[in-house]
Amino acid sequence: MAKTSKNILDEARGAIRQIDTEQARTMLDQGAMVIDVRESDEWRQGHIPQAVFVPRGFLELRIEEKAPDHKQPIILQCASGTRSLLAARTLHEMGYENLYNLTGGFNGWKDKGLPWIADRQFTQDEITRYSRHFVIPEVGEKGQAKLLEAKVLLIGMGALGSPTALYLAAAGVGTIGMVDFDVVDLSNLQRQIIHTTDRVGMPKTESAEKSIKALNPAVRVNRHDVRLSSENAMEIIGAYDVVINCGDNFPTRYLVNDACVLSKKPLVDGAIFRFEGNATVFHPDKGGPCYRCLYPEPAPPDMAPSCAEAGVLGALPGLIGSIEALEAIKLILGAGESLIGRMVYFDTLSKDYVRVLKVPRDPKCPVCSEHPTQKGLIDYEAFCGLGSAATANGVAHAAAGR
């Protein structure tokens, strides 16, 4: 004989323990997990602070990722207690042993005046635009809200800055700052994909802003049409959460590194040279090295040719710039393991193609060690003019990013 919905609910009540809000609060204090099985729009309007969001439609697919321990006490919760009761019944069938249903659900919790929070309210355009992010567990709506609130600074809007900026904008990074005082040249277009032929002669930051706005009009763009210097670096960098180095010369690399160390900002770094490129994250505040740990002094000018002198394959910046954007996004989300202390090195002509290298921290680094000898910004043009030590890898690492 077919069962009615009442039969199913009655069976569930017999198998699942029912608790009220006071009991739920006590259990939460003792380490129980609360699973909210409502829909996305309900979750956005408000939820219990400790709740883990697993929509009822995805429960069977995602629950073991969120709650791998089948013996952990789990409280199921919906708006009023009916959907969560059915969800608890499903988990019971999957082998979960300590299940509880919150009678009255979130509405009852809220009516009692108990603490609750509301996440960022997304517009319909944002819900559609970032829908592929919402379904990724490591991103979801909380992660997308972090991206929308984040501020990322790009140093240089050339070859590396082009793909990096476009992917950050597409991902929904709320504020993108750009430092560059150059103008678009026809020779740039072989690799600087954010610019177009009709913008030759236009400031690069203006051209980049047009492309970013065409891709995602909601992104706020801050243009810094200046040469970064020891006088303005700390002020500019201090306004951002993450800094990405897409520059093309030694003075800029050392200046940006030192300013990020002093301001405790993570620095995503990338470089390209002909068919070679690399990317890493410098963040001494999290135990990693800084650029000066690898290269205490710059290479002589004749060992660091520019793009015009050495050339760069046009597609290579797309690879390295995409990694820079990805690392910045991971830092914002707090997802996965960043490249702090590691460098991804590409030799696209080699059969090995890609290697991951360890990047140790120098305990005697003049900038990021426990007892630094340099405690402020210096004259980097003069410093780089006097440098004399670098390896062939150092040349590649500091080669042109334009």
Side-chain angles (χ1 to χ4, degrees):
M1 180 177 177
K3 294 181 180 180
T4 66
S5 59
K6 183 179 183 304
N7 296 145
I8 294 173
L9 287 171
D10 287 341
E11 288 179 2
R13 291 189 184 96
I16 305 300
R17 285 163 284 188
Q18 310 293 301
I19 60 172
D20 59 25
T21 53
E22 290 304 316
Q23 291 172 303
R25 293 182 70 187
T26 300
M27 291 183 63
L28 287 174
D29 291 339
Q30 295 173 348
M33 173 184 287
V34 58
I35 301 285
D36 189 325
V37 298
R38 296 176 299 159
E39 299 302 316
S40 297
D41 56 341
E42 296 175 286
W43 169 268
R44 289 188 208 105
Q45 293 168 14
H47 54 85
I48 297 171
Q50 302 96 319
V52 176
F53 179 47
V54 185
R56 179 66 187 88
F58 293 93
L59 185 68
E60 293 86 347
L61 298 176
R62 296 182 181 174
I63 187 60
E64 291 186 326
E65 176 187 332
K66 300 293 186 179
D69 183 358
H70 284 221
K71 295 182 181 295
Q72 180 182 11
I74 297 176
I75 303 168
L76 280 297
Q77 166 254 306
C78 63
S80 61
T82 301
R83 284 174 290 171
S84 56
L85 178 60
L86 295 173
R89 178 175 181 267
T90 298
L91 296 192
H92 178 70
E93 293 173 351
M94 293 177 66
Y96 284 87
E97 299 178 12
N98 295 307
L99 298 169
Y100 303 84
N101 182 50
L102 179 60
T103 57
F106 177 69
N107 292 339
W109 180 280
K110 188 176 177 182
D111 290 343
K112 288 284 184 67
L114 298 177
W116 61 280
I117 56 176
D119 288 344
R120 188 185 196 278
Q121 297 299 300
F122 294 96
T123 66
Q124 188 55 54
D125 178 81
E126 290 171 335
I127 292 172
T128 303
R129 182 182 291 270
Y130 306 121
S131 59
R132 300 304 186 271
H133 276 178
F134 289 160
V135 297
I136 301 175
E138 293 82 1
V139 184
E141 296 186 10
K142 285 187 177 180
Q144 189 61 54
K146 290 181 180 179
L147 291 172
L148 290 166
E149 294 165 4
K151 299 178 181 179
V152 176
L153 178 67
L154 300 180
I155 309 297
M157 290 311 302
L160 291 175
S162 292
T164 305
L166 290 173
Y167 273 113
L168 292 176
V173 171
T175 301
I176 298 176
M178 303 178 295
V179 178
D180 203 312
F181 61 92
D182 200 3
V183 298
V184 179
D185 185 83
L186 186 61
S187 66
N188 299 151
L189 303 184
Q190 162 256 10
R191 62 202 177 280
Q192 300 183 20
I193 59 172
I194 203 166
H195 309 302
T196 55
T197 303
D198 61 321
R199 298 178 195 164
V200 169
M202 180 182 293
K204 286 187 176 179
T205 56
E206 181 181 352
S207 172
E209 181 178 16
K210 289 180 179 293
S211 295
I212 289 171
K213 289 292 188 179
L215 178 63
N216 191 343
V219 173
R220 178 182 178 184
V221 177
N222 294 337
R223 292 171 50 192
H224 303 281
D225 298 310
V226 298
R227 181 190 293 272
L228 201 67
S229 69
S230 55
E231 285 75 32
N232 60 24
M234 294 298 290
E235 180 180 359
I236 293 174
I237 287 174
Y240 295 88
D241 305 311
V242 179
V243 180
I244 305 180
N245 184 23
C246 303
D248 65 347
N249 61 80
F250 275 126
T252 299
R253 287 187 178 277
Y254 283 97
L255 171 62
V256 172
N257 173 80
D258 296 357
C260 285
V261 172
L262 293 172
S263 59
K264 302 184 183 300
K265 304 287 184 179
L267 172 60
V268 181
D269 187 85
I272 50 177
F273 180 76
R274 293 179 176 167
F275 287 87
E276 299 174 44
N278 58 63
T280 188
V281 177
F282 297 119
H283 199 4
D285 202 45
K286 295 296 183 180
C290 77
Y291 184 74
R292 296 283 285 273
C293 291
L294 276 71
Y295 311 108
E297 296 180 352
D302 60 349
M303 290 185 65
S306 67
C307 269
E309 297 167 321
V312 61
L313 187 70
L316 180 64
L319 178 64
I320 304 302
S322 295
I323 293 175
E324 289 192 280
L326 178 60
E327 287 300 309
I329 289 170
K330 285 164 57 183
L331 288 170
I332 294 165
L333 296 175
E337 297 181 10
S338 77
L339 286 176
I340 296 173
R342 296 176 298 151
M343 176 183 289
V344 179
Y345 172 75
F346 291 86
D347 181 354
T348 61
L349 293 183
S350 168
K351 63 179 181 180
D352 296 327
Y353 206 88
V354 60
R355 288 180 289 163
V356 179
L357 311 173
K358 290 184 178 180
V359 184
R361 186 169 181 177
D362 182 0
K364 297 182 179 179
C365 177
V367 176
C368 76
S369 65
E370 291 185 9
H371 304 287
T373 56
Q374 181 184 320
K375 300 181 180 180
L377 303 183
I378 62 173
D379 182 350
Y380 291 88
E381 296 288 347
F383 174 72
C384 292
L386 295 174
S388 60
T391 64
N393 254 359
V395 175
H397 182 73
R402 300 267 190 195

